[in-house]
Amino acid sequence: MSVWEEKCIISPSLICLDMCNLESQIRILEQSGIQVLHVDILDGHFSPSMPLGLDTVRQLRQKTDMFFDCHVMVENQDFFVDELLDIGVQQIVFHAETQPHIDGMINRIHAKGVKAGIALKPSTPLSTVEYVLDKCDSVLLMLINPGYAFLKGEKQVAYADRKIRQLHQMINERGLDTKIELDGRISPDNIRTYGKDLADVFVTGTTCLDRNDLSGSFARLEQLRREIL
């Protein structure tokens, strides 16, 4: 069984690791049994930060066989999507809000044999994906606003639970195997609440991970995952 078919997938966010020691951090992830890496690509416009360059992703691709789940948070997507396809990632999740041709972009990614997903900002309605849901390998729900640097302590939006449950219902009613990804201040409580049968992939960052004790952090998350499943 491939990792993508598993339940309650823990996917650490690359930009939350020690950016000066990424290769050693990747080795810790591998030793901890992590198989999916969440790779945020930001352009400094869609979200006011740009912590990771494409060349870094390209070099990391040569150093690990982990599943690269790339979240493209940019204004102009074409360049970044083409570069990621060339690098050889396993999934590209793009934002509906900055893509004028959602169906076309899904087709473009699928044509290269890569999984395609759609990301939605907190206030973007689920109706945005209604007609393409059957083509999505995943839908990523952001539980905080991109650009959280404006509000350092921003909490998950109050309507996150309702949106997660409504998306799960949409997918179930159509008999689809589309994954639900949750991103933004993901906590152990979120994993405990949604990990059994409501969501599939949890993008974990500083709320769950201690950079100084990654192994211990992942051990605790794996124990939580076992309790859930």
Side-chain angles (χ1 to χ4, degrees), residues 75-186:
E75 294 288 348
N76 298 304
Q77 297 177 4
D78 290 355
F79 167 74
F80 293 95
V81 167
D82 285 344
E83 286 291 301
L84 291 170
L85 290 172
D86 183 65
I87 287 171
V89 304
Q90 281 73 32
Q91 175 167 257
I92 297 175
V93 178
F94 61 90
H95 268 271
E97 298 88 358
T98 55
Q99 178 48 249
H101 308 293
I102 292 175
D103 187 87
M105 181 57 81
I106 293 173
N107 293 341
R108 179 175 179 174
I109 295 169
H110 279 164
K112 296 295 185 179
V114 174
K115 294 183 184 300
I118 294 176
L120 302 177
K121 293 191 289 186
S123 63
T124 301
L126 294 176
S127 58
T128 302
V129 300
E130 181 177 355
Y131 294 116
V132 292
L133 188 57
D134 61 321
K135 300 175 73 170
C136 293
D137 294 290
S138 68
V139 175
L140 183 150
L141 299 181
M142 295 204 70
L143 307 188
I144 65 170
N145 291 294
Y148 64 84
F150 287 134
L151 296 170
K152 196 69 173 178
E154 184 175 1
K155 299 183 184 303
Q156 292 175 349
V157 293
Y159 47 85
D161 181 78
R162 181 158 59 102
K163 193 172 185 182
I164 293 165
R165 294 179 187 277
Q166 287 178 345
L167 176 58
H168 181 262
Q169 183 178 353
M170 286 175 64
I171 292 170
N172 268 8
E173 287 177 348
R174 301 188 192 190
L176 304 175
D177 58 3
T178 305
K179 298 282 190 183
I180 295 177
E181 294 192 54
L182 303 183
D183 187 2
R185 298 279 193 271
I186 297 302

Side-chain angles (χ1 to χ4, degrees), residues 2 14 23 33 38 49 71 90 92 101 114 122 145 175 205:
S2 73
L14 181 59
E23 184 174 357
H38 189 80
S49 62
H71 180 188
Q90 281 73 32
I92 297 175
H101 308 293
V114 174
N145 291 294

Side-chain angles (χ1 to χ4, degrees), residues 168-213:
H168 181 262
Q169 183 178 353
M170 286 175 64
I171 292 170
N172 268 8
E173 287 177 348
R174 301 188 192 190
L176 304 175
D177 58 3
T178 305
K179 298 282 190 183
I180 295 177
E181 294 192 54
L182 303 183
D183 187 2
R185 298 279 193 271
I186 297 302
S187 68
D189 283 342
N190 293 142
I191 299 172
R192 187 175 292 107
T193 301
Y194 303 111
K196 185 173 178 63
D197 54 16
L198 287 171
D200 305 284
V201 183
F202 296 87
V203 179
T204 53
T206 53
T207 307
C208 281
L209 305 179
D210 179 353
R211 286 182 186 174
N212 298 315
D213 184 24

Side-chain angles (χ1 to χ4, degrees), residues 12-111:
S13 173
L14 181 59
I15 62 173
C16 291
L17 302 181
D18 181 349
M19 301 299 286
C20 291
N21 295 284
L22 282 183
E23 184 174 357
S24 62
Q25 299 262 286
I26 291 295
R27 298 296 172 237
I28 295 174
L29 267 58
E30 292 173 331
Q31 292 163 11
S32 300
I34 297 297
Q35 300 180 68
V36 178
L37 183 65
H38 189 80
V39 181
D40 285 305
I41 303 296
L42 300 95
D43 62 356
H45 298 285
F46 184 86
S47 181
S49 62
M50 193 165 44
L52 188 68
L54 287 167
D55 284 345
T56 302
V57 179
R58 189 180 298 276
Q59 290 182 44
L60 286 175
R61 176 74 289 173
Q62 305 304 313
K63 296 180 181 295
T64 180
D65 292 327
M66 280 198 293
F67 186 110
F68 278 21
D69 181 18
C70 297
H71 180 188
V72 179
M73 304 170 69
V74 303
E75 294 288 348
N76 298 304
Q77 297 177 4
D78 290 355
F79 167 74
F80 293 95
V81 167
D82 285 344
E83 286 291 301
L84 291 170
L85 290 172
D86 183 65
I87 287 171
V89 304
Q90 281 73 32
Q91 175 167 257
I92 297 175
V93 178
F94 61 90
H95 268 271
E97 298 88 358
T98 55
Q99 178 48 249
H101 308 293
I102 292 175
D103 187 87
M105 181 57 81
I106 293 173
N107 293 341
R108 179 175 179 174
I109 295 169
H110 279 164

